[in-house]
Amino acid sequence: MSVSRFRWVLFLVPATLLASVKVEAQSSYRNLDGGHPVRVEDAIVTERYALDVDLFNLRYDELSDLRTRLLWEPELSYGIFPRTEMWLRLPVFYRERSSVPRGGVAGIGAGAMYQFNLESQLIPAAAISTEFFKPAGPNALPMSYSLRALLTRSFAPGRVHLNASIATYSATPPPSLIITCAGSCGGPPLPPLDGPCAVGAGSALSFQCSIPLSHLTAAQQAAAPTETHAHWLIGVAYDKAIPLSSMLIVGDLFAEKFEGIGRKTDMTAEIGVRRQLKPQMIFSGALGRHFRGAGFSTFVTLGLTLDRALQP
């Protein structure tokens, strides 16, 4: 399938789904999860004994220099305890011809989220989440960790969400190999962080943050040091529910910083929608733009969540 035809498919699928018959008296579409459809999420957890199966999670990125990325990230989340959910995700990537490896399993992530309180008239809903991500492959980088704080406050026009996270990420910049931003823009050695790559466990995308060691000689591989740095994120989102259509419209803006590599603060904006197609089926889709940092990109996300009750 050509790139132009693939773009049409990405935009026609959500348009067709949004034109479907209305679904009344459903509320699962209001639960925002990271990447479904935008990066900033709400402080609401999966209901107890509810199993969310996300098998159709796709992200398509168009980067500078005519590069493209495709990510498929199946995920399972379960409300295991009161106000507590756990999840497991398995990102699978596919990149342009010049990338080695071009595709494969990036690793496996496991995390949990705990909601401290329900929202009241005076106090917003508050939650905390954490995740461990283990990269895969023979030259996999060390495990990364993240910790995120979340707040959600409802107003008459809609809801406001605040997210702040701190995470680790690892990179292997060999002294003899200069890694720069998109194209040949110069500057200090940088891992290719303007596309789907490992930026810490709190990221929606998780790929190796360095030139693969297979590009190096045996001596370079032995001498290549692995560096671990901090990655932080601050974001805000606003959503508006359309109850009679079982639909949620959401937009967000977030800044993130990769410490230790001389990279500017990255800025990304997204706008998306969640639509309840059936009592146990939710569609999500978003369009985003990474507009500040070492390189720019435009991306589209699509998702389909199946919600099932699973009580022990």
Side-chain angles (χ1 to χ4, degrees), residues 85-167:
E85 72 168 289
M86 299 185 68
W87 66 82
L88 192 68
R89 62 188 181 95
L90 188 73
V92 179
F93 66 96
Y94 186 75
R95 304 180 289 184
E96 65 272 6
R97 295 178 183 273
S98 58
S99 298
V100 178
R102 191 177 183 185
V105 177
I108 185 170
M113 178 174 171
Y114 176 74
Q115 184 180 5
F116 292 106
N117 62 283
L118 299 177
E119 183 179 0
S120 66
Q121 291 184 350
L122 300 177
I123 302 176
I128 189 169
S129 68
T130 185
E131 186 183 67
F132 304 88
F133 186 83
K134 177 61 177 175
N139 297 313
L141 295 171
M143 181 180 294
S144 59
Y145 314 89
S146 74
L147 184 66
R148 176 175 294 203
L150 312 95
L151 292 175
T152 292
R153 183 64 171 167
S154 299
F155 301 93
R159 299 187 302 170
V160 176
H161 315 284
L162 298 177
N163 285 188
S165 70
I166 182 71

